[in-house]
Amino acid sequence: MDSVSNLWHEASTLRLPRSSFTNLWQEAFNLPTRSRSFLSSPKRKWGFFCLIAAFFLFVVYLSSPSRVIEKPRPRPYHRLPPPSSAYPWAEYVQRHPAADIRPLPSEKPLHVPTIQHQFKYEWPSAKKQRKQRQAAVKDCFARSWQAYKEHAWLEDELHPISGGTGNPFGGWAASLVDALDTLWIMDMHAQFDEAVSAIAHKDFSRSRGDTISVFETTIRYLGGFLGAYDISGGNNNVLLSKAQEFGDLLYAAFDTPNRMPQGFFKWKEAIDGHEIQAGNGAALADLASLSLEFTRLSQLTGDSKYYDAIARITDALDQAQGGTNLPGMWPSVIDAAGLGFYADGFSLGALSDSAYEYLPKEYLLLGDPEHAIQYQRMYEGAIKTIKEHVLWQPMTPNNTDILFSGNVHAYGGQVSLDPEVQHLACFVGGMVEIAAKIFERPEDLDTARKLTDGCIWAYNNMPTNIMPERTHMVPCPRTGDCVWDEAKWRSASSRDDFPGTTDIHDARYILRPEAIESVFIHYRISGDTAYQDQAWAMFEAIDHYTRTDIANAALEDVSVLPPPKKDKMESFWMAETLKYFYLIFGEPDLVSLDEYVLNTEAHPFRRPK
């Protein structure tokens, strides 16, 4: 066809006589004598030229980039062939296989009360403001995404000041996988498709490190692929195939004598045939925050082994719940190898957090009343103890009626409170509020609101209007009035610049999402638009102080102005924090809490119908 095109160009450029043009075509197609005589008639010549012109117009049409091509229908699920260097974890032979695989519960109808507020009319001016705020959040996300693409593509993290990269999560492109469903939710479908294509043939069977954090890999990678699969329509085979690749890798971490997972999986030793063991000093959250992801993987693939793996953990927790040093709760550090729950530290913050968060969420995801009731019973056993010992009211200058979640030491029947305020624990308000709705505990709705208001207060109490990682305050007595006592505060405080706060153990802000998470959930459940205004104030402060030349960075100290930045941008900035800010300014049916369960990394899993 190139020779034909050249002849066409030569003829048109040189303006050859019509007879010469005909000869060129005859030579180009090597027409026989009979064909040449056929073209001797003028009418036949013109008819032939019209046919050729129609042919070239058709070729131009086919090559047009703007032509709309109908996409093929999704094919049935099948795994992608692994890269040639991949280790086949699906074929890994376990030393301690499960004797019996517990079947995934059938998705029977589970009656769950409506979670979200029934939103009605919205004034045009309010809608305009809301959409403007949502657009600003999207712009912030798009800027961070573009910086990641330009400077850290397929690496775990972008360093937002230097433009460098970091790989703390296996070097498997954590920020990309973590942000997939956010791209879809924000209607950035072209970027979503590009990211899925880039990750499709990446080898996830081997980490850059000697160990793999089962918890972090589960919530970010497995959860990221599952959430992207569900939110994008449930028909992308690449996403589900990659999710099962991670599922098989993580399932190998359960190959221990008691089927409890090795928290930091020594994958090289497993490949070499060495026995692996669960940890003697494992974080509770590392063990008990895998249920949503493994259950959803079983639901989508039909393979019950993943559900069986986490059901064994749930049974162990269930059996131990009433016999710990603080009955109803589990210690923050446990002996996973010996299933010992004898430590004396209890908390809803670091080391424990999502173990409790996943109880009501697994109830929602299972969709089977016979099996889901176990998670309701465990949550209700925990929340009774939590309300009695862990939640506390701080003393504030304005006598604000708020609550925080602290740390508790319990041993020999003696219980003492450490009134620490953790940003990480700000998820508790949202957890309690969702559970109050689905378990029909209306008395807990006010508790949930006070917890969320407490984190908003902590934001407003800093000069940056951003909450630090860890602080302390003076707790009020559990009985009687809670009235500000400045002398009492000063005697307990190591600083006098932030009334109410006695010290700041960790002044950083690492782009955390937990406060906006609970603000978002409270808005969706209560319908109170004042919390949209609170969210906007939080977003403006965060974006203003964390913005760098290319993206957004963590802060070293939110108690000073201007706060110094740290060259770090966690993957949850795009996966969680900006997603929650975007959703609170979105339509109520955008990732509805009545249709999706969000894992602890804000990845949306579709609830069974």
Side-chain angles (χ1 to χ4, degrees), residues 182-218:
T182 311
L183 287 167
W184 187 272
I185 289 167
M186 292 189 181
D187 202 27
M188 298 173 66
H189 293 179
Q191 293 87 338
F192 175 88
D193 291 341
E194 180 184 28
V196 172
S197 296
I199 210 75
H201 293 285
K202 190 173 180 65
D203 180 8
F204 292 117
S205 69
R206 298 173 185 272
S207 169
R208 295 188 186 184
D210 293 335
T211 62
I212 296 169
S213 168
V214 171
F215 169 72
E216 296 291 355
T217 302
T218 297

Side-chain angles (χ1 to χ4, degrees), residues 451-467:
L451 286 162
T452 299
D453 286 348
C455 291
I456 293 173
W457 182 93
Y459 266 74
N460 294 335
N461 198 44
M462 291 291 110
T464 53
N465 290 320
I466 301 174
M467 181 180 179

Side-chain angles (χ1 to χ4, degrees), residues 324-336:
T324 68
N325 285 314
L326 191 63
M329 296 184 70
W330 303 274
S332 299
V333 178
I334 61 176
D335 175 8

Side-chain angles (χ1 to χ4, degrees), residues 13 28 37 49 80 93 96 121 128 133 235 263 266 268 281 301 311 321 329 346 371 382 395 476 483 536 549 566:
T13 303
S37 63
F49 291 144
L80 292 176
V93 179
H96 304 283
Y121 180 76
K128 180 180 178 181
R133 291 173 171 180
N235 55 23
K266 298 177 181 179
K268 290 182 179 179
T301 63
Q321 187 172 14
M329 296 184 70
F346 299 81
H371 296 82
M395 187 174 65
C476 292
V483 180
W536 180 244
D549 290 340
K566 181 179 178 64

Side-chain angles (χ1 to χ4, degrees), residues 23 26 39 47 52 96 155 191 205 209 274 307 332 344 365 402 412 420 449 470 501 509 527 539 559 567:
N23 292 336
Q26 292 170 344
L39 295 176
I52 295 300
H96 304 283
E155 305 293 331
Q191 293 87 338
S205 69
H274 299 298
Y307 169 74
S332 299
D344 61 358
L365 188 63
I402 55 178
E420 184 181 52
R449 178 190 56 78
R470 298 169 59 218
T501 300
Y509 172 68
F539 172 76
S559 69
D567 198 12

Side-chain angles (χ1 to χ4, degrees), residues 25 145 252 407:
W25 279 106
W145 176 259
N407 307 319

